[in-house]
Amino acid sequence: MAFETWLAFFAASWLISLSPGSGAISCMAAGMRHGYVRALWNIVGLQAGILFVLAIVALGLGAIIAASTALFTAIKWLGAVYLVYLGIQQWRAPTPAVTSGEPGNASDGSPGRLMLRGFLVNATNPKGIVFMLAVLPQFIDPHAPQAVQYLICAGTLLFTDFVVMSGYTGLAAKVLTLLREPRHVRWVNRGFGGMFVAAGLALATFRRA
């Protein structure tokens, strides 16, 4: 991969990572509810989901999913239902005492559950598959070894996404330290719950070009 091509993909990766979506909502909700350190596991899951999508595109399976109405619709509704489920869970989240500015010990805050949650947010989003299918091939030289190029693109995208998602998580965790009333946490949880549901409904209306 030529340096100029990588530089263009590097710039595109920032735009991809900074674009608001369910991943950003997931990071802010996790940071707000669990604090920055524990919420990092959510980011790990999100990045595993990105790798999963990249692997699908690199193996050529993305084109099959995009072309198959049944597969595309099944994945789309799975992702939409999951986001709505997360919204309901966030809305109904228990309200911890926050007078000390510390995150609560929510039962769903284990590393494994946070990783799985992050992974499913990205892995069940067909918009990500279609988007990567449209963007990635533009930066891949078909006359050069493709495996190395895909690895370079994956590493670049994971780096930019980690930085951006860490920022979202850190900002939300900072808000947690400023809250002093349980009712404030309750309304913030409901706000993020509403955003999850809205993201799920938006995904349900997504149509292929």
Side-chain angles (χ1 to χ4, degrees):
M1 176 179 288
F3 178 74
E4 294 79 8
T5 302
W6 174 82
L7 200 59
F9 183 77
F10 184 61
S13 295
W14 283 107
L15 295 177
I16 294 170
S17 299
L18 286 167
S19 60
S22 53
I25 297 172
S26 179
C27 284
M28 290 186 289
M32 172 65 218
R33 190 171 179 189
H34 304 295
Y36 178 76
V37 174
R38 193 187 304 179
L40 285 175
W41 291 107
N42 175 69
I43 299 178
V44 173
L46 287 170
Q47 299 223 308
I50 291 176
L51 282 176
F52 178 74
V53 172
L54 285 171
I56 287 177
V57 173
L59 293 173
L61 299 177
I64 297 175
I65 293 173
S68 170
T69 300
L71 277 175
F72 182 87
T73 302
I75 295 174
K76 180 184 75 171
W77 281 106
L78 177 63
V81 169
Y82 184 65
L83 288 176
V84 171
Y85 165 77
L86 289 181
I88 294 173
Q89 292 293 101
Q90 190 72 34
W91 183 282
R92 300 173 59 188
T95 305
V98 294
T99 54
S100 63
E102 294 296 329
N105 295 317
S107 59
D108 63 347
S110 67
R113 295 191 68 171
L114 286 171
M115 285 179 63
L116 179 61
R117 167 175 155 163
F119 173 79
L120 290 176
V121 165
N122 276 341
T124 60
N125 187 352
K127 291 173 63 176
I129 296 174
V130 173
F131 185 76
M132 287 296 173
L133 194 61
V135 172
L136 264 185
Q138 301 180 42
F139 298 94
I140 301 298
D141 182 359
H143 304 295
Q146 296 195 12
V148 175
Q149 296 180 77
Y150 275 110
L151 286 174
I152 292 173
C153 288
T156 302
L157 185 56
L158 290 180
F159 168 76
T160 58
D161 190 74
F162 182 82
V163 172
V164 172
M165 294 302 124
S166 291
Y168 282 131
T169 303
L171 285 174
K174 182 64 176 177
V175 170
L176 177 64
T177 66
L178 300 177
L179 297 178
R180 293 294 181 268
E181 297 288 339
R183 61 188 177 90
H184 295 160
V185 179
R186 183 184 309 116
W187 283 111
V188 170
N189 280 336
R190 290 178 178 179
F192 282 121
M195 285 191 284
F196 270 123
V197 172
L201 295 177
L203 181 58
T205 63
F206 179 68
R207 297 290 185 274
R208 293 172 297 178

